[in-house]
Amino acid sequence: MAHPAMYNITSDDTGAANTNDPKNSTVRKGRPRSTKSKNAILKATNSLLLHKSVQELSIEAIAKKAKVGKTTIYRWWPNKTAVVMDALINQPGMQTAMPTPKSNTEAVSMQLEKLIRLLQSKNGETIAQLFSEAQASEESQEIFEDSFLGPLMDAIEFSVTEGQKTGEFRKSLDSKTAVDILCGPIFFRLMAHPSDFNDHFQGDYPKEALKLISA
Amino acid sequence: MAHPAMYNITSDDTGAANTNDPKNSTVRKGRPRSTKSKNAILKATNSLLLHKSVQELSIEAIAKKAKVGKTTIYRWWPNKTAVVMDALINQPGMQTAMPTPKSNTEAVSMQLEKLIRLLQSKNGETIAQLFSEAQASEESQEIFEDSFLGPLMDAIEFSVTEGQKTGEFRKSLDSKTAVDILCGPIFFRLMAHPSDFNDHFQGDYPKEALKLISA
Amino acid sequence: MAHPAMYNITSDDTGAANTNDPKNSTVRKGRPRSTKSKNAILKATNSLLLHKSVQELSIEAIAKKAKVGKTTIYRWWPNKTAVVMDALINQPGMQTAMPTPKSNTEAVSMQLEKLIRLLQSKNGETIAQLFSEAQASEESQEIFEDSFLGPLMDAIEFSVTEGQKTGEFRKSLDSKTAVDILCGPIFFRLMAHPSDFNDHFQGDYPKEALKLISA
Amino acid sequence: MAHPAMYNITSDDTGAANTNDPKNSTVRKGRPRSTKSKNAILKATNSLLLHKSVQELSIEAIAKKAKVGKTTIYRWWPNKTAVVMDALINQPGMQTAMPTPKSNTEAVSMQLEKLIRLLQSKNGETIAQLFSEAQASEESQEIFEDSFLGPLMDAIEFSVTEGQKTGEFRKSLDSKTAVDILCGPIFFRLMAHPSDFNDHFQGDYPKEALKLISA
DNA sequence: GGGTAACCGAGACGGTACGTCTAGTCTTTAA
DNA sequence: TTAAAGACTAGACGTACCGTCTCGGTTACCC
């Protein structure tokens, strides 16, 4: 992963390296990355996503809208998926914290509900499209996994294994399979029947899903 | 759906209209569709899919490989998804019949096993890519739904509702949700962790899945 | 020139062969040429020429407008130039006879006036475009020469040589050069400054031109 | 005339704008036009014209031969006519200067001879084809007029009016008509009887033509 | 304060593929 | 045999983006 900024989620790439610590081994010479340009790019991307699908989006259009050179985009993100991923994550109200749960059952339930809520928003469509982009290229796959799917699944898997230890969930299930059983139907419905997604999944599914894995 | 051949699956479009029945109101005038070209196109598509993803595939490349004019492709299929879908379905050994099951439980089990087997082959990747293409355009979505996903899901849903009537499966589950619960994890793993797909899903999943919906 | 109808001007190709004389050695078997189609093609061509240039015109468009198969056109005319040439000539009021002139001077004058009148009509533009088409292909060149330019120039050349014999025109000029001198400026202005064509050429030019060659 | 380079003849478009004058309001941003590509395109065009007519020539073929993207051609020239015109003019030995004439009669004679010499070369055919292209489209017409025909005719017209003032040429002729009379026959023979062009026109015509307008 | 280095915008570059168009040919049924 | 209909191969059209490059300029750090 040679890209300098690694398109990672929350870090403020800019300026961080140019601290006043003269011993910092990663002192950056030259003109620092422009926060203005970065923000313009992410903002333009989000704006374009309101009317276009990820697939319809072009780097060229983003650059034009953001009044930025194409090279500036390519310098910091390896491909479209990375830009969109970053734009998505940097939306306001994206990193809402969860209240600490009382049990692992409650934890999983809350996590599923959060996921469903996320996918029901306008962003749901975009995420489905990113998931799709990921099928086309190894590189996009990795980004989607690292930035979105991985953390999400890891958190759920953690709660599941914990719940298995406490006896809340049955141990016969492989924890990874359990996560597939919990999350699979959600993504599947999102992608296969997007119009039905909101209808039935609202409050019902998490409860139902928990039954599937509870002891 | 204005396309003449409607990219439908098994029908032999050619010659069928020019029967000996002179009263046939749909007598086709003009030169009939060339079976040779049709086959060349489907064959070329399958051949190219061995080394390329659906997204990398281009109509131009298919036309070149099949020694066919681009217009001939555009005349009969509305887009790439349709061509690939058709090519996939017209592969040898694609329409294998299933033995009649003894119970609805067995029926669902067999259907899931068949699906998993299908997705484990080289075609699995292609299907995942078609599913992805479907996210990008309404038109592709429709084709994928009509030609692949719809029939498959309908068959499973039928077995599920039958099983609910006989008491094999619990009635608390909406039949559509049940299908999502059965199929979702399969597709999810295929797309999210393709490398793990073969490992764990072989024989285990269908049994496990059945537990989820059985009474 | 293997084309059966030879796209020649005035002959009524149709029916002529299928006379009632059974001993006619050139009896045509099979379905006779359709006069209806022929007329439809020529009419469609003329109609399309009202809004399009010869270059913009396509065989396909003519066939469609005339409700005729493309093959029917290709069977009887070798190319677009031939069709347009034929359509032009078969327009009503195209073969107006000239009154017999009193002198060769008058003959040439009348011929030039007729030519100018012809080129001033809507057909003038079309003729310029046919002249242009002729530059692109040998075949079109031949058709334009045989059907339009040749006869016209021959007639003028005849009058010129006659006039040279009678002493009306000076003999120092090669008769072919004389024709170039008489006609060249007309065509040149038509093609180089079409907008100025009508203005100055109306009645002036023939008189002026005659001075150039008169003894 | 929105095209940046205006396909004009002799100017060296490249770099010219980036002079050392810092106040130059037309500072060129971005990567400058590639002289290499420009030359490759013109060279390829000339090379292809040796074996093809202008009409047979395709932008695609030029791009391929010049190893250049099609867009690079479309960026700088509005159409095929413009490219060919530019290629023609940028040939070596195209802008040969004329010796200063002693009289207007001599001037016109020299101009006509130069024109005939030009049209007798391989370029003659190409020019006839460009003249033809110009009949088909308004845009091409303008380019041909501005780049070739206009300057040529203006120069001759100037000599004619001068000659009329000095009494060398008769004043009864409108100067524009005079130019048509001088040049028309040349172009007419070139286009109507290209095979006869070289034979008769060599040295005879200019003298003959001058008689037509001399006092 | 001059030098060096990485950044920035703008936009041209070689390419690939798009979906449309037309050419001229071929293959069928009907007249 | 010709006509009509329309499918066929072939290939150019002009456009849109791709990811790279090449300019003139800017903004930091370093000596």
Side-chain angles (χ1 to χ4, degrees):
Chain A
M1 202 76 45
H3 260 268
M6 300 233 306
Y7 42 88
N8 48 12
I9 306 181
T10 45
S11 74
D12 181 3
D13 304 298
T14 315
N18 285 328
T19 53
N20 357 8
D21 180 7
K23 280 155 198 149
N24 191 330
S25 61
T26 60
V27 266
R28 295 271 201 110
K29 282 193 171 187
R31 181 176 178 177
R33 178 174 185 183
S34 157
T35 326
K36 204 173 134 195
S37 291
K38 185 191 170 184
N39 291 337
I41 290 164
L42 298 180
K43 194 175 161 190
T45 304
N46 276 319
S47 158
L48 288 168
L49 277 175
L50 294 176
H51 306 297
K52 285 175 186 290
S53 74
V54 175
Q55 279 74 13
E56 286 164 347
L57 203 64
S58 72
I59 296 278
E60 212 137 88
I62 296 172
K64 195 173 179 183
K65 178 123 194 170
K67 301 205 174 189
V68 139
K70 269 200 287 182
T71 10
T72 304
I73 300 181
Y74 283 113
R75 197 180 343 263
W76 300 107
W77 294 274
N79 56 39
K80 197 167 61 177
T81 303
V83 185
V84 175
M85 197 76 246
D86 227 356
L88 215 56
I89 286 161
N90 279 281
Q91 278 183 355
M94 200 63 185
Q95 295 104 325
T96 53
M98 275 197 320
T100 43
K102 290 170 202 149
S103 65
N104 294 110
T105 308
E106 201 189 53
V108 171
S109 177
M110 277 161 53
Q111 283 160 327
L112 292 181
E113 270 166 13
K114 189 184 165 194
L115 174 61
I116 290 169
R117 221 160 33 239
L118 173 63
L119 297 180
Q120 274 170 346
S121 70
K122 163 69 189 161
N123 293 334
E125 239 173 273
T126 303
I127 290 168
Q129 288 159 4
L130 283 177
F131 203 171
S132 295
E133 280 284 290
Q135 300 306 306
S137 98
E138 195 73 28
E139 221 177 0
S140 297
Q141 173 77 294
E142 232 168 84
I143 291 164
F144 185 68
E145 176 71 20
D146 292 352
S147 305
F148 179 82
L149 206 53
L152 198 138
M153 307 273 290
D154 286 350
I156 296 178
E157 195 185 345
F158 177 79
S159 298
V160 167
T161 39
E162 287 300 305
Q164 284 177 327
K165 284 182 201 163
T166 63
E168 287 172 81
F169 305 138
R170 60 192 166 100
K171 289 164 186 160
S172 58
L173 270 177
D174 170 41
S175 72
K176 289 206 181 298
T177 305
V179 175
D180 288 347
I181 286 171
L182 291 169
C183 297
I186 298 174
F187 282 98
F188 182 65
R189 177 157 284 194
L190 174 67
M191 299 180 74
H193 316 290
S195 54
D196 296 356
F197 188 75
N198 289 356
D199 304 350
H200 291 281
F201 263 45
Q202 192 65 45
D204 299 2
Y205 182 74
K207 282 178 222 159
E208 210 57 67
L210 281 166
K211 283 187 208 159
L212 306 178
I213 62 166
S214 59
Chain B
M1 203 76 45
H3 260 267
M6 300 232 303
Y7 43 86
N8 47 11
I9 308 178
T10 45
S11 75
D12 179 3
D13 306 298
T14 315
N18 284 330
T19 54
N20 2 6
D21 180 8
K23 278 151 198 151
N24 192 331
S25 62
T26 60
V27 268
R28 293 271 201 117
K29 287 188 171 188
R31 181 176 178 174
R33 178 174 184 184
S34 157
T35 327
K36 206 172 131 194
S37 291
K38 185 190 170 184
N39 292 336
I41 290 165
L42 298 180
K43 197 176 159 189
T45 304
N46 276 318
S47 159
L48 288 167
L49 277 176
L50 294 176
H51 307 297
K52 285 174 185 291
S53 75
V54 174
Q55 280 75 10
E56 286 164 348
L57 200 63
S58 73
I59 297 277
E60 211 139 89
I62 296 173
K64 198 172 179 181
K65 179 125 195 168
K67 300 205 173 190
V68 139
K70 266 200 285 183
T71 22
T72 303
I73 300 181
Y74 283 112
R75 194 179 350 260
W76 299 107
W77 292 275
N79 55 42
K80 199 167 61 176
T81 303
V83 185
V84 174
M85 197 75 246
D86 229 357
L88 215 56
I89 285 161
N90 280 281
Q91 278 184 353
M94 199 62 184
Q95 295 102 327
T96 52
M98 276 197 319
T100 42
K102 290 172 201 147
S103 65
N104 293 109
T105 306
E106 201 189 55
V108 171
S109 177
M110 277 160 54
Q111 283 161 326
L112 292 181
E113 270 166 14
K114 190 184 163 192
L115 174 62
I116 290 169
R117 223 163 28 241
L118 173 63
L119 298 180
Q120 273 169 348
S121 68
K122 164 70 188 161
N123 293 334
E125 235 173 278
T126 303
I127 289 168
Q129 288 159 3
L130 283 178
F131 203 170
S132 295
E133 281 283 290
Q135 300 305 306
S137 101
E138 193 73 28
E139 221 178 0
S140 297
Q141 171 79 309
E142 231 169 84
I143 291 163
F144 185 69
E145 175 71 20
D146 293 352
S147 305
F148 179 82
L149 206 52
L152 198 137
M153 307 274 289
D154 287 350
I156 296 179
E157 196 185 346
F158 178 78
S159 297
V160 166
T161 39
E162 287 301 304
Q164 285 176 326
K165 284 182 202 162
T166 62
E168 287 171 80
F169 305 138
R170 59 194 166 98
K171 289 165 186 158
S172 58
L173 271 178
D174 170 41
S175 73
K176 289 206 181 296
T177 304
V179 175
D180 287 348
I181 287 171
L182 291 170
C183 298
I186 298 174
F187 282 98
F188 181 64
R189 176 156 286 192
L190 174 68
M191 298 180 74
H193 315 291
S195 54
D196 297 356
F197 188 74
N198 290 357
D199 304 350
H200 291 281
F201 262 44
Q202 192 64 45
D204 300 2
Y205 182 72
K207 283 178 222 158
E208 210 57 68
L210 281 166
K211 285 187 206 158
L212 307 178
I213 62 166
S214 58
Chain C
M1 200 77 43
H3 260 267
M6 300 234 305
Y7 42 88
N8 47 10
I9 308 180
T10 45
S11 75
D12 180 1
D13 304 298
T14 315
N18 283 328
T19 53
N20 356 7
D21 180 6
K23 277 154 199 150
N24 190 330
S25 61
T26 59
V27 267
R28 295 274 199 107
K29 285 191 173 186
R31 183 173 175 173
R33 178 173 184 186
S34 156
T35 327
K36 205 172 131 193
S37 290
K38 185 191 170 183
N39 291 338
I41 290 165
L42 298 179
K43 196 176 161 189
T45 305
N46 276 319
S47 159
L48 287 168
L49 277 175
L50 294 176
H51 306 297
K52 284 175 186 289
S53 74
V54 174
Q55 279 74 10
E56 285 165 347
L57 203 64
S58 72
I59 296 279
E60 211 137 87
I62 297 173
K64 196 172 177 182
K65 179 124 192 169
K67 301 206 174 188
V68 138
K70 267 202 287 182
T71 7
T72 305
I73 300 181
Y74 281 113
R75 202 188 328 272
W76 298 107
W77 294 274
N79 56 40
K80 199 166 62 176
T81 304
V83 185
V84 174
M85 197 75 247
D86 227 357
L88 214 58
I89 286 161
N90 279 280
Q91 277 183 354
M94 200 64 184
Q95 295 103 326
T96 53
M98 274 197 321
T100 42
K102 291 168 199 149
S103 65
N104 294 111
T105 306
E106 200 188 54
V108 169
S109 177
M110 277 162 53
Q111 282 161 327
L112 291 181
E113 271 167 12
K114 189 185 164 192
L115 174 62
I116 290 169
R117 223 163 28 242
L118 172 63
L119 297 180
Q120 273 170 347
S121 69
K122 162 70 188 162
N123 293 335
E125 237 173 275
T126 304
I127 289 167
Q129 288 158 5
L130 282 177
F131 203 171
S132 294
E133 278 285 290
Q135 301 306 306
S137 98
E138 195 72 28
E139 220 177 1
S140 297
Q141 172 77 293
E142 233 168 83
I143 292 164
F144 185 70
E145 176 70 21
D146 293 353
S147 307
F148 180 82
L149 205 55
L152 199 138
M153 308 273 290
D154 286 351
I156 297 179
E157 195 185 345
F158 178 79
S159 297
V160 167
T161 39
E162 288 300 304
Q164 284 177 326
K165 285 181 201 161
T166 63
E168 287 173 80
F169 306 137
R170 58 191 167 101
K171 288 166 186 159
S172 59
L173 270 178
D174 170 40
S175 72
K176 290 207 181 295
T177 305
V179 175
D180 287 347
I181 287 171
L182 291 170
C183 298
I186 299 173
F187 282 97
F188 181 66
R189 176 157 286 194
L190 173 68
M191 297 180 74
H193 316 290
S195 54
D196 296 356
F197 188 74
N198 290 357
D199 305 351
H200 291 280
F201 262 45
Q202 191 65 45
D204 299 3
Y205 181 73
K207 284 178 219 158
E208 209 58 67
L210 282 166
K211 285 188 206 157
L212 305 178
I213 62 165
S214 59
Chain D
M1 203 79 43
H3 259 268
M6 300 231 304
Y7 42 90
N8 47 11
I9 306 179
T10 45
S11 74
D12 180 2
D13 306 298
T14 314
N18 284 328
T19 54
N20 5 4
D21 180 8
K23 278 154 196 150
N24 191 334
S25 61
T26 60
V27 266
R28 291 268 200 121
K29 288 188 172 186
R31 182 175 176 175
R33 179 174 184 182
S34 156
T35 326
K36 205 174 133 193
S37 291
K38 185 189 172 185
N39 291 338
I41 290 164
L42 298 179
K43 196 176 161 190
T45 304
N46 276 319
S47 158
L48 287 167
L49 278 175
L50 294 176
H51 307 297
K52 284 175 186 290
S53 75
V54 174
Q55 280 75 10
E56 286 163 349
L57 201 64
S58 73
I59 297 276
E60 211 139 90
I62 296 172
K64 198 171 178 180
K65 178 124 195 169
K67 301 205 174 190
V68 140
K70 266 200 287 183
T71 20
T72 302
I73 300 181
Y74 283 113
R75 193 173 358 251
W76 299 107
W77 293 275
N79 56 41
K80 200 167 59 176
T81 303
V83 185
V84 174
M85 198 74 247
D86 228 357
L88 215 56
I89 287 161
N90 279 281
Q91 277 183 355
M94 199 66 184
Q95 295 103 325
T96 53
M98 276 198 318
T100 43
K102 290 171 202 148
S103 65
N104 294 111
T105 307
E106 202 189 54
V108 170
S109 178
M110 276 163 52
Q111 283 161 326
L112 293 181
E113 270 167 12
K114 190 184 163 193
L115 174 61
I116 291 168
R117 222 165 27 244
L118 172 63
L119 297 180
Q120 274 169 347
S121 68
K122 164 70 188 160
N123 293 335
E125 235 173 279
T126 303
I127 290 168
Q129 288 158 5
L130 282 178
F131 203 169
S132 296
E133 281 282 292
Q135 301 305 307
S137 101
E138 194 72 29
E139 220 178 2
S140 297
Q141 170 78 317
E142 230 168 84
I143 291 164
F144 185 70
E145 176 71 20
D146 292 353
S147 305
F148 179 82
L149 206 53
L152 197 138
M153 308 274 290
D154 287 350
I156 296 178
E157 195 185 346
F158 177 79
S159 297
V160 166
T161 40
E162 288 300 304
Q164 285 177 326
K165 285 180 200 160
T166 62
E168 289 171 80
F169 305 138
R170 59 192 166 100
K171 289 167 185 155
S172 58
L173 269 177
D174 169 41
S175 73
K176 288 206 180 298
T177 305
V179 175
D180 288 347
I181 287 171
L182 291 170
C183 297
I186 297 174
F187 282 97
F188 182 64
R189 176 157 286 193
L190 174 68
M191 297 180 75
H193 317 290
S195 53
D196 296 357
F197 188 75
N198 289 357
D199 305 350
H200 291 280
F201 263 44
Q202 192 64 45
D204 299 3
Y205 181 74
K207 282 179 223 158
E208 209 57 66
L210 280 167
K211 284 188 206 157
L212 306 177
I213 62 165
S214 58

